[in-house]
Amino acid sequence: MSSDMTLLLIKSLGQTLYMVSISMIIAAVIGIPLGILLVTTAKGQILECVAFNRIIAGLVNAVRSIPFIILMVAIIPFTRSIVGTSIGTTAAMVPLTLAAIPFIGRQVENSIKEVPYGLIEAALSLGATPLQIIKHVLLPEALSSIISQLTTVVIGLIGASAMAGTIGGGGVGDLAIRYGYQRFRPDIMLITVIILVVVVQLVQFIGNYIAARLNKK
Amino acid sequence: MIKLSHIKKVYDTPSGSLQALKDISLTVEDGDIYGIIGLSGAGKSTLVRCINMLERPTEGTVEIDGQDLTKMNEAQLRSVRKNIGMIFQQFNLLSSATVYENVAFPLKLSGMAKKDIEKKVMPLLKLVGLEQKARQYPSQLSGGQKQRVGIARALASDPSILLCDEATSALDPQTTQSILRLIKKINEELGITVVIITHEMQVIKDICTKVAVIDHGVIAEKGSVIEVFMNPQQAITHEFISVLLSDELPSAFRQQPVSAEPVEDGYLLLRLTFLGESADEPVIMQLIKNAPNVDVSILFGDLDQIQTVPYGRMIIGLKGDAQKVKEAEKWLGEQDVKVGVIGYVKRHDAAVD
């Protein structure tokens, strides 16, 4: 393979990692609190507010029901207002982040729901405030499971980032489409697939490792 | 002092409203170990949660040392709850925190400095006998050890009340005994008032001073443990006691007709209960001396203790001349022993025991 091709591969991999990591970080910052709210504002929970809970649950469902490729083009005006452009790697991060937020919200919700209610009750009996319960009970107890769930989200994002080429986002997936498929280069197709498989394996391995280390059950 | 007055708790369920507690009033004096016993679904767990307002009663008041908790807002309740420790059937320890961190948890919530926390936690771990396990996680402990951590955690904020919600129900009998001894020690040495919720009469008998029997959301019976054991008034109380103290008739008399009048060749069966000092008196020997013409058979006997008070139960059969048997019964009634008449029963013919 020519050195041009190698450079292109490295550049694409860099774009993928950049898109996925930044989107993931921003989405986690919003999605984790969202997941906490999905649980704690439900009926009978420590921050019970049923109307609010219905609204955020509805929003989460709405965003999650839009296929990613449609979401990406549908929100172009929004993307432009946020990052100033609707084309390129940075622009691709806006829909990626937007898609990841409700995904993370639901996954974190599931993790936190697994914390036995008895622990919340015990903390209440010790005079804990709702915020203290979130910080000292729900998050630490669910952390291992949250890490596992976030790993799944990262892998989902790597998959979704392959569609970023639609709006000129680049990345390994885009390379596979443009060179491997459209220019009949099976060698490029093969190597991009290998790269994606290796990256996903690595992410899963790291996620599993951290989750296992944190799990004291 | 804990004073519950006319507590009602109604839950709205999809299939209509469910009355978990119906007009419950009871008073727990300082220093009591107060047992609340009931079958599952009787409402006892709801009742104990009303004491620290984890469940808000629908009606009624909860007073602790004169303060009405039902009139407090959440912030006021949080500070009151620091004065009420609670332990649970499932222990409810943080699995992601070490034994030390679990006990330190309530102190961390109060914003205590790290150094002060350590000064507080280590003596508590020593009190419950787990100072060697401070760095371990709950998953590495046995059930009894987990409950000891729960107790240390409940005591960390120096409460004056300890609520125990089926605290020994998940433990084996030996471990139950050691946890009960620890609770008793805490009650005696730290002067903490204890409220125990249980479905086991054994727990009541072993450490409680007072007991309330709760059934279908109402208090069926309450009083000092000894009184209730000696003189149970309600069928549900009898049931709880009989699990512990079997007093079935010997097989030779079972399923035989019982008559209030003397029957030929029959025995007059009496149930004797001795308590305290009288358990040491040689009543049976004196009976035999006093009524030489009456045959005295001991059909069942059992000596036990309610805490430190000796407590004996016996079923005896008297046989002989009807008049003499009557006199013997009368004599027994004058002694320091409680006599219950079962009736005249003829021994099963085929019985060989």
Side-chain angles (χ1 to χ4, degrees):
Chain A
M1 194 182 298
S2 70
S3 64
D4 282 357
M5 248 9 268
T6 312
L7 275 177
L8 200 57
L9 267 174
I10 292 172
K11 189 181 160 213
S12 299
L13 182 60
Q15 285 170 331
T16 296
L17 296 180
Y18 170 67
M19 279 190 287
V20 171
S21 57
I22 303 287
S23 310
M24 187 63 202
I25 290 167
I26 299 171
V29 167
I30 303 169
I32 293 173
L34 176 66
I36 294 169
L37 286 175
L38 280 170
V39 181
T40 54
T41 59
K43 192 169 161 47
Q45 297 296 326
I46 51 176
L47 292 172
E48 178 174 331
C49 182
V50 178
F52 178 77
N53 189 269
R54 289 219 180 103
I55 293 170
I56 55 173
L59 280 174
V60 163
N61 289 343
V63 177
R64 286 203 66 191
S65 54
I66 306 170
F68 182 66
I69 194 147
I70 296 170
L71 180 79
M72 211 161 43
V73 291
I75 64 158
I76 281 177
F78 175 72
T79 304
R80 194 178 292 130
S81 73
I82 298 234
V83 294
T85 172
S86 59
I87 301 171
T89 313
T90 308
M93 287 184 336
V94 177
L96 274 178
T97 308
L98 196 66
I101 289 169
F103 192 12
I104 293 176
R106 281 288 181 221
Q107 302 285 52
V108 169
E109 179 191 18
N110 289 335
S111 297
I112 290 183
K113 268 190 186 160
E114 286 166 21
V115 177
Y117 187 74
L119 291 187
I120 298 170
E121 205 173 35
L124 285 173
S125 81
L126 296 167
T129 64
L131 273 180
Q132 285 176 322
I133 291 175
I134 291 169
K135 187 175 159 208
H136 297 298
V137 179
L138 296 183
L139 282 177
E141 287 293 305
L143 192 57
S144 165
S145 160
I146 289 176
I147 296 292
S148 297
Q149 304 279 29
L150 290 186
T151 307
T152 310
V153 177
V154 171
I155 291 167
L157 278 189
I158 292 171
S161 75
M163 289 176 240
T166 316
I167 57 167
V172 180
D174 184 44
L175 185 73
I177 299 279
R178 285 191 294 123
Y179 285 76
Y181 177 63
Q182 290 166 347
R183 295 186 192 177
F184 308 107
R185 290 283 301 268
D187 55 332
I188 302 244
M189 184 61 99
L190 183 66
I191 202 150
T192 53
V193 168
I194 290 173
I195 287 175
L196 286 174
V197 169
V198 169
V199 169
V200 167
Q201 294 283 0
L202 207 62
V203 167
Q204 188 68 60
F205 174 79
I206 294 170
N208 287 353
Y209 178 77
I210 299 175
R213 281 295 296 270
L214 290 171
N215 190 359
K216 306 291 183 189
K217 276 178 201 154
Chain B
M1 192 172 83
I2 306 168
K3 191 162 175 238
L4 304 178
S5 311
H6 306 291
I7 298 285
K8 279 183 198 161
K9 178 74 190 182
V10 182
Y11 290 106
D12 290 320
T13 66
S15 52
S17 69
L18 176 83
Q19 246 193 323
L21 299 174
K22 308 164 192 162
D23 198 30
I24 292 216
S25 297
L26 62 85
T27 303
V28 181
E29 303 286 346
D30 289 343
D32 274 351
I33 301 184
Y34 203 111
I36 297 173
I37 187 167
L39 300 169
S40 53
K44 53 195 194 301
S45 278
T46 307
L47 182 62
V48 76
R49 280 164 178 71
C50 285
I51 297 178
N52 61 1
M53 300 290 275
L54 286 179
E55 295 275 3
R56 252 180 205 279
T58 315
E59 273 176 52
T61 58
V62 178
E63 280 175 59
I64 292 181
D65 298 330
Q67 288 180 294
D68 185 355
L69 271 55
T70 55
K71 301 214 167 31
M72 292 185 176
N73 61 30
E74 282 298 316
Q76 289 169 313
L77 281 179
R78 280 197 285 273
S79 80
V80 169
R81 281 183 190 141
K82 292 186 200 280
N83 186 36
I84 310 172
M86 187 166 186
I87 57 174
F88 303 86
Q89 178 172 8
Q90 296 306 330
F91 322 120
N92 293 345
L93 303 177
L94 298 174
S95 68
S96 57
T98 62
V99 166
Y100 179 94
E101 289 162 345
N102 266 288
V103 178
F105 179 49
L107 305 172
K108 204 162 128 191
L109 293 178
S110 313
M112 192 185 265
K114 262 204 170 123
K115 247 169 77 187
D116 298 331
I117 289 181
E118 192 171 341
K119 274 186 217 148
K120 190 89 208 173
V121 172
M122 290 321 286
L124 280 168
L125 287 179
K126 200 161 177 215
L127 175 76
V128 299
L130 286 179
E131 65 266 56
Q132 304 301 324
K133 305 271 182 193
R135 301 284 157 222
Q136 300 203 349
Y137 286 90
S139 60
Q140 297 164 291
L141 304 180
S142 69
Q145 291 170 331
K146 284 181 195 167
Q147 195 57 286
R148 285 166 184 274
V149 179
I151 291 172
R153 177 176 70 178
L155 296 179
S157 48
D158 293 319
S160 61
I161 296 168
L162 178 66
L163 306 178
C164 309
D165 182 24
E166 297 275 11
T168 57
S169 301
L171 304 174
D172 61 58
Q174 277 92 355
T175 315
T176 294
Q177 284 304 315
S178 80
I179 293 293
L180 291 180
R181 274 198 299 274
L182 177 61
I183 292 174
K184 179 119 182 123
K185 178 174 150 190
I186 286 161
N187 166 261
E188 285 168 355
E189 291 180 10
L190 306 177
I192 291 178
T193 307
V194 181
V195 178
I196 292 182
I197 297 292
T198 182
H199 64 271
E200 295 170 306
M201 206 60 179
Q202 179 81 37
V203 172
I204 303 282
K205 194 193 88 176
D206 286 343
I207 69 166
C208 293
T209 50
K210 290 183 192 151
V211 61
V213 182
I214 173 165
D215 186 27
H216 292 100
V218 296
I219 290 183
E221 191 163 352
K222 64 184 173 187
S224 85
V225 169
I226 289 172
E227 251 170 56
V228 170
F229 262 80
M230 287 289 287
N231 213 353
Q233 303 294 318
Q234 302 294 327
I236 178 95
T237 318
H238 270 287
E239 263 174 54
F240 278 120
I241 295 175
S242 68
V243 171
L244 205 56
L245 313 166
S246 152
D247 54 7
E248 271 193 67
L249 293 178
S251 58
F253 293 95
R254 241 176 269 165
Q255 286 158 6
Q256 290 286 89
V258 177
S259 156
E261 296 304 317
V263 289
E264 196 192 341
D265 237 12
Y267 287 80
L268 171 61
L269 298 191
L270 301 173
R271 200 185 293 274
L272 308 182
T273 312
F274 307 85
L275 186 74
E277 303 275 290
S278 75
D280 299 335
E281 303 265 323
V283 176
I284 300 299
M285 193 193 78
Q286 285 167 4
L287 171 69
I288 294 167
K289 273 192 193 163
N290 268 307
N293 300 322
V294 174
D295 291 349
V296 179
S297 321
I298 296 177
L299 305 171
F300 168 87
D302 175 37
L303 190 62
D304 202 347
Q305 287 197 333
I306 299 175
Q307 285 132 62
T308 53
V309 181
Y311 170 76
R313 294 164 330 121
M314 203 177 259
I315 295 175
I316 60 170
L318 305 181
K319 193 178 169 194
D321 175 66
Q323 189 55 36
K324 292 270 194 294
V325 167
K326 268 260 172 257
E327 278 169 23
E329 181 201 337
K330 187 160 167 280
W331 179 85
L332 265 176
E334 290 158 0
Q335 308 306 306
D336 188 13
V337 37
K338 192 177 149 228
V339 182
V341 178
I342 297 172
Y344 293 88
V345 184
K346 211 175 146 192
R347 201 179 148 90
H348 200 287
D349 289 333
V352 286
D353 59 335

